[in-house]
Amino acid sequence: MAERILLKGNEALGEAAILAGCRFFAGYPITPQNEIPAYMARRMPRVGGVFIQAESELAAINMVYGAAGAGARAMTSSSSPGISLKQEGISYLAGAELPSVVVNIVRGGPGLGGIQPAQSDYFQATRGGGHGDYRTPVFAPNSVQEMVDLTMEAFEVADAYRNPVLVLGDGILGQMMEPVALPPAREAPLPPKPWATTGAKGPGRRIINSLYLDPVVLEQRNLWLAEKYARMRGLARAETVGMEDAEICLVAYGATSRIVKGAMQMARREGIRAGLIRPVTLWPYPTVSIREAAGRVEAFLVVELSLGQMVEDVRLAVDGKAPVHFYGRTGGMVPSPREVLEKLREVAAGMGKRRVVAAGAGA
Amino acid sequence: MTHEVIMAGHGGQGVLYMGTLLARAGMLEGKEVSWLPSYGAEQRGGTANCAVVIGDEAVVSPVVYEATGAVVMNGPSLEKFAPHVRPGGVLVVNTSLAPERVERGDLRVVALPANRLAEETGDGRSANMVALGAFAAATGIVRMDNLLEALRQATPARRRHLLAGNERALRRGEEWMGKD
Amino acid sequence: MRQIFAGTDGLTQSTTIYCPGCTHGITHRLVGEVLEELGVTGRTVGVASVGCSVLAYEYFNCDMQEAAHGRAPAVATGIRRVLPEAVVFTYQGDGDLASIGMGETIHAAARGERITVIFINNANYGMTGGQLAPTTLLGQVTTTTPGGRSAATAGYPIRVCELLATLDGPAYVARTSTHNVAELHRTKKAIRAAFQAQLEGAGFSMVEILSTCPTNWGMDPVRAMEFVAKEMTATYPLGEFVNWRRGN
Ligand SMILES: Cc1ncc(C[n+]2csc(CCOP(=O)(O)OP(=O)(O)O)c2C)c(N)n1
Ligand code: SF4
């Protein structure tokens, strides 16, 4: 295994992009992701890549559009308010089928909000914050190592499907340091991109575009994209911990999943049999893992740094087969494992009562 | 055992750096580690703090709520973080900038005039290193040779001239504990 | 007892969060004094922008709105058109005004929008930790120009006053500085003239104020003042670029 080095999440992510062959980065300062552009400003010139501090997030995402359309592996990063500005660009990238990676190190909103960690951009990330019928795969790392691994994977997925891919982190993951093993740089040549506009004339010339004025054609175009999105469903992935004998299934992603894991361990010491499903992809959602658990556990407890966004996907997957409880803190507040444990105890107590009621009814 | 440590002070005291050295030394001991800083507006003129977790198994939560040990470099940090140390935990207080009296009787308090000791070793700015040396000695989380190695690794070429002074300061903290 | 110092009614009693040696604070004071002296605090609506001065809504003693990053002139336009009698101003940094908000800036000026823009040029992004701003000097080191700003990759500094002076909408455009007491007096005069232009219905007005950011420049306050006096004024000459009274 490669030697492990201590790296900050944001910088590790920047390095991962470079290892994956990204040679174009455009960004704009915003806390808590400032280390990414700063890192790219230092590193890109040394690997013959491009770093641009754009005049705005709008410009940055459109620089990525141009670079991706010209065949480069391109990335931009920002945090919540800046990601809102990028939505138009993401919609265009999806419409023109341009592979690219967009990183959101989420902070509290709405509006200017705050700068502390949050997960309140889940709807925006998974439902498509821009206009039109489009989808973007969303990776949700929960460690600095995964900031590296999933970012590298994001570039591969982007090229494989010709689609923008989101990496959704948060202030904790961006700012924290952990030991990481950096994988070797991608050595294989980048996938061929015959569609890229690299300069041509005549019948072989290429056009990057998302305009289809004829509704018949635009519908066809959307159906073609929908087929692609259906193929992407196979990307769905989750990590499960302690689900073998679990009575309560915790569901959490990103940094929150680690706090929740702490609570899960505490609960087990008290005899509450809790397990954890951690979605690694938020779109496509690991519906199957959740659905499968729904047949076995007594209850779900979803924990998020929001007032309840992913919980809707859990409810859709559970489909009424078990009660789905929710615990969330928002605005940059991060719950302690003890807080989550309290909620777990409540859920466990409720289950006990229901069992008694059920037994009574049977008698 | 998992050590969950809080280090706090005001911006410019080098508390974040102190935390990275502790994490790095933990890695040198073959442990799993994480380091999480306070960030953003808090840094400007205000307080700075970081959480360091060191243990044998993969770090579960990098956020520390109930610390097994803490280093507080000034008065406001003492007030803010003393309540977050578990009973029996080690609390290193920089008495050069914080009151010597600590409200809680259930902690192992190390009263350490870090700024004065740093000045005695030749550089008042290395108070953070004095405190780190004392904290490591008081808790045994990491060995001094690993702290020194971490310091060497973390010191870039342009800061080489500060290395010897920082090493002295780390050792000064350790010595102080020996006397205690 | 002789009173030698008093607060201004143009500012609230809040303590600002600015770093030692930062000139945001003194500039607030000058704007506050002008509002008080003109007797307009009671009918003023200010617009705070996104930057170190984001909390300006806590500091100016008048109605305030907080705008999205770069959009203050658009927000001010909305206020102006609904309240023809109000005094409307924005307070913006160079990233806010000349980078992400350049479109809003130019169009508010081109419309001759009757608002006053207080523009703090400190040659970098203060709040986010010292990145390149459009106003960063060539060769200046920032976190996103670690080798110093190079024209080849990061372009040239933008002179906003000169740019706006090419338009017909502005009534008053001036650049002043904060590096000594004489310059502060000149800055206050310019701020007064800018509000006067608005009160007389002459059009858009802006004062660009060369300011310090000792924290991110990595300088002590005195050295930062010198940097403004020597380096910044070399790229950004002080003076009036448009003055409706003089017909230019
Ligand atoms: C849409 C959006 N992008 C980025 C940011 C992050 N941000 C906050 S302040 C700032 C720049 C501030 O610089 P400047 O306008 O020069 O003001 P100063 O802090 O120097 O006074 C940026 C980029 C944001 N809040 N919103
Ligand atoms: S960072 Fe710079 S602009 Fe912001 S308050 Fe500090 S000195 Fe002033």
Side-chain angles (χ1 to χ4, degrees):
Chain A
M1 199 175 79
E3 190 202 348
R4 298 205 309 165
I5 51 174
L6 197 58
L7 281 182
K8 201 169 204 192
N10 282 336
E11 300 191 333
L13 187 149
E15 185 58 30
I18 287 171
L19 291 173
C22 171
R23 289 294 178 273
F24 185 94
F25 178 91
Y28 186 79
I30 187 166
T31 311
Q33 64 85 54
N34 287 319
E35 295 80 5
I36 302 176
Y39 187 83
M40 292 311 214
R42 288 198 302 274
R43 278 289 278 149
M44 274 300 193
R46 287 188 217 151
V47 295
V50 178
F51 164 81
I52 303 184
Q53 182 179 314
E55 66 271 31
S56 69
E57 292 85 352
L58 280 159
I61 190 86
N62 286 291
M63 287 173 184
V64 164
Y65 183 101
R73 279 205 160 167
M75 178 169 94
T76 183
S77 69
S78 188
S79 177
S80 309
I83 295 291
S84 290
L85 283 176
K86 289 189 198 290
Q87 292 306 327
E88 176 195 61
I90 296 172
S91 170
Y92 277 64
L93 286 164
E97 290 193 277
L98 292 178
S100 44
V101 174
V102 179
V103 178
N104 184 358
I105 304 296
V106 184
R107 61 187 235 182
L112 197 47
I115 57 175
Q116 299 305 322
Q119 298 182 315
S120 37
D121 296 355
Y122 181 93
F123 284 151
Q124 185 195 54
T126 59
R127 294 334 191 236
H131 61 283
D133 236 343
Y134 75 93
R135 292 293 192 175
T136 50
V138 183
F139 286 105
N142 85 337
S143 64
V144 177
Q145 185 66 55
E146 278 196 355
M147 292 279 265
V148 170
D149 298 341
L150 295 178
T151 298
M152 290 183 76
E153 189 175 345
F155 279 98
E156 301 304 325
V157 169
D159 274 348
Y161 292 93
R162 273 192 72 178
N163 212 71
V165 176
L166 268 53
V167 177
L168 201 73
D170 59 59
I172 294 177
L173 290 167
Q175 297 296 319
M176 72 186 284
M177 287 213 276
E178 274 184 324
V180 280
L182 291 174
R186 187 186 205 284
E187 292 214 335
L190 296 183
K193 297 180 178 177
W195 44 263
T197 55
T198 52
K201 69 170 189 174
R205 70 196 192 89
R206 294 143 300 198
I207 297 171
I208 302 288
N209 171 45
S210 62
L211 174 74
Y212 300 88
L213 285 173
D214 181 344
V216 176
V217 180
L218 182 54
E219 185 180 50
Q220 283 308 315
R221 173 77 185 157
N222 270 286
L223 289 173
W224 147 262
L225 289 175
E227 246 173 61
K228 179 172 86 173
Y229 302 143
R231 274 186 281 127
M232 287 179 187
R233 295 259 168 207
L235 295 169
R237 198 192 314 166
E239 180 199 19
T240 58
V241 189
M243 283 302 293
E244 306 73 27
D245 62 344
E247 288 183 307
I248 303 177
C249 175
L250 288 152
V251 189
Y253 70 96
T256 313
S257 69
R258 299 179 58 161
I259 291 154
V260 168
K261 194 171 161 195
M264 180 192 110
Q265 291 170 348
M266 287 158 107
R268 282 192 168 259
R269 271 178 242 134
E270 300 185 357
I272 299 172
R273 293 212 307 273
L276 169 67
I277 296 183
R278 171 180 74 95
V280 175
T281 56
L282 301 181
W283 194 91
Y285 197 72
T287 306
V288 176
S289 312
I290 304 272
R291 189 180 297 145
E292 195 194 73
R296 293 188 282 130
V297 301
E298 301 263 344
F300 286 80
L301 174 57
V302 181
V303 184
E304 294 177 66
L305 302 186
S306 79
L307 289 182
Q309 301 195 8
M310 180 181 72
V311 66
E312 295 196 358
D313 281 332
V314 176
R315 291 212 168 100
L316 280 172
V318 170
D319 200 17
K321 289 197 204 67
V324 177
H325 303 273
F326 175 74
Y327 187 72
R329 294 296 302 268
T330 191
M333 295 300 290
V334 178
S336 67
R338 203 163 285 284
E339 255 175 277
V340 178
L341 175 66
E342 278 302 317
K343 186 72 192 176
L344 262 174
R345 285 185 187 138
E346 252 174 60
V347 172
M351 269 160 39
K353 263 187 230 126
R354 247 200 344 273
R355 258 187 233 137
V356 175
V357 174
Chain B
M1 150 121 201
T2 300
H3 298 277
E4 299 182 57
V5 180
I6 293 174
M7 303 189 143
H10 58 71
Q13 279 186 307
V15 294
L16 301 189
Y17 184 60
M18 189 168 33
T20 62
L21 286 188
L22 183 63
R24 221 175 258 282
M27 265 183 84
L28 291 171
E29 309 227 330
K31 299 276 170 57
E32 294 292 336
V33 304
S34 71
W35 171 91
L36 177 68
S38 60
Y39 63 85
E42 262 194 44
Q43 280 168 10
R44 186 177 319 136
T47 63
N49 67 74
C50 62
V52 178
V53 182
I54 301 182
D56 296 322
E57 286 170 31
V59 173
V60 178
S61 168
V63 190
V64 171
Y65 299 89
E66 300 158 39
T68 56
V71 179
V72 290
M73 294 297 287
N74 66 357
S77 308
L78 172 63
E79 242 169 77
K80 188 168 173 194
F81 292 106
H84 291 278
V85 184
R86 283 183 215 169
V90 173
L91 178 65
V92 173
V93 182
N94 175 16
T95 53
S96 301
L97 295 173
E100 205 149 323
R101 267 182 51 79
V102 175
E103 298 294 318
R104 292 180 54 177
D106 59 348
L107 301 178
R108 271 179 65 207
V109 176
V110 177
L112 173 89
N115 289 67
R116 181 164 64 74
L117 294 176
E119 258 150 44
E120 285 169 17
T121 65
D123 186 358
R125 281 171 306 177
S126 56
N128 57 342
M129 294 297 110
V130 175
L132 179 58
F135 182 73
T139 56
I141 299 182
V142 292
R143 292 201 317 267
M144 180 52 72
D145 56 336
N146 280 326
L147 263 187
L148 291 169
E149 178 56 25
L151 178 66
R152 262 170 242 135
Q153 286 181 4
T155 306
R158 66 196 149 79
R159 296 255 159 102
R160 280 284 148 195
H161 59 289
L162 299 175
L163 188 58
N166 279 335
E167 285 176 354
R168 269 200 306 280
L170 276 175
R171 289 220 172 84
R172 186 72 185 93
E174 185 187 38
E175 273 165 34
W176 170 273
M177 283 312 300
K179 261 194 256 150
D180 218 29
Chain C
M1 206 167 56
R2 197 165 65 95
Q3 186 176 27
I4 55 168
F5 183 82
T8 162
D9 190 42
L11 295 181
T12 65
Q13 299 291 320
S14 307
T15 311
T16 65
I17 55 146
Y18 301 117
C19 305
C22 175
T23 50
H24 264 303
I26 183 73
T27 306
H28 282 14
R29 165 93 197 182
L30 299 180
V31 174
E33 284 178 6
V34 168
L35 291 175
E36 182 184 16
E37 287 161 19
L38 291 172
V40 297
T41 354
R43 60 179 173 109
T44 297
V45 185
V47 183
S49 66
V50 181
C52 281
S53 60
V54 65
L55 295 179
Y57 55 79
E58 300 277 3
Y59 309 145
F60 288 110
N61 190 19
C62 56
D63 278 351
M64 294 290 293
Q65 295 193 13
E66 214 303 301
H69 191 30
R71 317 300 174 208
V75 172
T77 298
I79 300 169
R80 155 58 61 237
R81 299 297 178 105
V82 170
L83 306 171
E85 300 302 320
V87 171
V88 182
F89 76 96
T90 71
Y91 187 104
Q92 302 173 258
D94 41 17
D96 192 89
L97 178 141
S99 194
I100 192 168
M102 189 57 123
E104 280 74 1
T105 305
I106 290 183
H107 286 281
R111 286 194 304 270
E113 209 63 63
R114 215 155 40 79
I115 62 173
T116 298
V117 172
I118 307 296
F119 169 28
I120 305 301
N121 177 352
N122 62 10
N124 77 17
Y125 286 23
M127 179 173 230
T128 42
Q131 292 86 0
L132 171 81
T135 48
T136 295
L137 306 183
L138 284 178
Q140 191 181 332
V141 172
T142 70
T143 62
T144 48
T145 51
R149 181 177 192 167
S150 132
T153 51
Y156 296 90
I158 297 181
R159 294 186 190 87
V160 179
C161 285
E162 287 84 338
L163 201 67
L164 297 190
T166 65
L167 302 171
D168 298 328
Y172 184 79
V173 174
R175 184 182 293 120
T176 65
S177 181
T178 51
H179 66 264
N180 61 33
V181 177
E183 288 307 329
L184 287 173
H185 281 298
R186 250 171 247 140
T187 298
K188 183 167 171 187
K189 258 180 69 186
I191 293 172
R192 192 200 315 268
F195 277 103
Q196 207 68 50
Q198 177 179 162
L199 288 167
E200 291 179 20
F204 177 89
S205 57
M206 183 186 84
V207 185
E208 172 176 345
I209 302 164
L210 303 188
S211 304
T212 60
C213 180
T215 301
N216 289 308
W217 294 353
M219 296 177 193
D220 63 49
V222 174
R223 176 79 192 85
M225 292 288 177
E226 285 167 12
F227 182 81
V228 175
K230 297 212 181 80
E231 321 268 326
M232 283 185 74
T233 55
T235 299
Y236 301 110
L238 305 182
E240 279 182 354
F241 297 85
V242 181
N243 187 333
W244 81 108
R245 283 176 176 141
R246 286 206 228 101
N248 65 342

